[in-house]
């Protein structure tokens, strides 16, 4: 029994702390908004698009990824950023108007990207990816909480 005592203590400690670890994990998950989930899905597809945009052989795959990003961007038009929740009245209206304008511009650029890829214009598509990257950075600076990417 003496030799197994450290093991038994370790297991007992683990059993006592496990519920707290799981409870904390759940609390963090609930902070995810539907908008964050949409953006996260778009981000994964976006990284692949950026990697393969110049390769005409991958246009079919790139178009499928662009369709995912477009769908996510369109859904995001109906969602409210967390930062908007913290604001009231005219400030909130102004914030939401800016957000919607930025997202509509993004949806428009994604449409242009789709057209360029369908036309086999990878150089043009790469230029649009550059514009979308700039829009994405600016949008995240203006409409996303500081502590997140």
């Amino acid at each position: 029994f003496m030799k197994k005592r450290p093991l038994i203590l370790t297991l007992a400690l683990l059993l006592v702390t496990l519920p707290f670890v799981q409870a904390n994990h759940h609390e963090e998950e609930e902070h995810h908004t539907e908008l964050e989930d949409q953006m996260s899905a778009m981000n994964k597809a976006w990284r692949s698009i950026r990697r393969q945009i110049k390769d005409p052989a991958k246009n079919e795959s790139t178009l499928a990824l662009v369709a995912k990003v477009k769908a996510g961007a369109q859904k995001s038009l109906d969602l409210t950023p967390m930062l908007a929740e913290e604001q009231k009245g005219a400030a909130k209206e102004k914030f939401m108007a800016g957000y919607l304008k930025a997202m509509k511009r993004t949806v428009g650029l994604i449409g242009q990207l789709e057209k360029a890829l369908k036309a086999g214009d990878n150089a043009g598509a790469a230029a649009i990816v550059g514009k979308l990257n700039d829009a994405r950075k600016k949008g995240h600076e203006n409409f996303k909480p500081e502590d997140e990417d």
Side-chain angles (χ1 to χ4, degrees):
F1 180 74
M2 292 299 275
K3 285 180 183 171
K4 290 186 179 175
R5 195 173 206 176
L7 178 66
I8 291 169
L9 283 173
T10 304
L11 288 173
L13 194 62
L14 196 63
L15 287 172
V16 171
T17 56
L18 200 60
F20 295 107
V21 173
Q22 285 178 327
N24 281 342
H25 185 66
H26 274 301
E27 286 170 25
E28 285 173 26
E29 276 181 22
E30 287 174 26
H31 284 294
H32 273 282
T33 62
E34 193 180 338
L35 180 60
E36 283 178 296
D37 293 340
Q38 284 300 330
M39 293 291 177
S40 178
M42 286 167 59
N43 200 24
K44 280 184 185 154
W46 185 244
R47 282 198 295 265
S48 298
I49 291 168
R50 285 193 349 231
R51 277 195 299 270
Q52 64 191 47
I53 192 65
K54 290 179 180 164
D55 185 352
K58 293 186 176 168
N59 280 2
E60 204 171 307
S61 147
T62 305
L63 276 165
L65 291 163
V66 169
K68 275 187 187 173
V69 173
K70 188 178 187 180
Q74 286 170 328
K75 277 186 191 159
S76 298
L77 286 169
D78 299 326
L79 303 173
T80 304
M82 263 197 306
L83 285 179
E85 305 292 343
E86 300 166 11
Q87 300 180 37
K88 303 269 181 274
K92 184 174 184 172
E93 283 175 33
K94 185 180 175 193
F95 181 91
M96 283 306 295
Y99 167 75
L100 287 171
K101 184 180 175 189
M103 283 309 299
K104 284 176 183 167
R105 180 173 182 266
T106 298
V107 170
L109 284 168
I110 294 166
Q112 290 175 28
L113 178 59
E114 238 175 356
K115 276 187 196 139
L117 284 167
K118 285 177 181 170
D121 178 9
N122 287 72
I128 296 166
V129 163
K131 286 182 188 174
L132 276 161
N133 261 337
D134 293 343
R136 182 177 170 266
K137 279 188 195 122
K138 196 187 254 180
H140 288 179
E141 281 169 20
N142 295 330
F143 304 108
K144 195 173 182 187
E146 290 276 328
D147 61 340
E148 295 177 59
D149 168 78

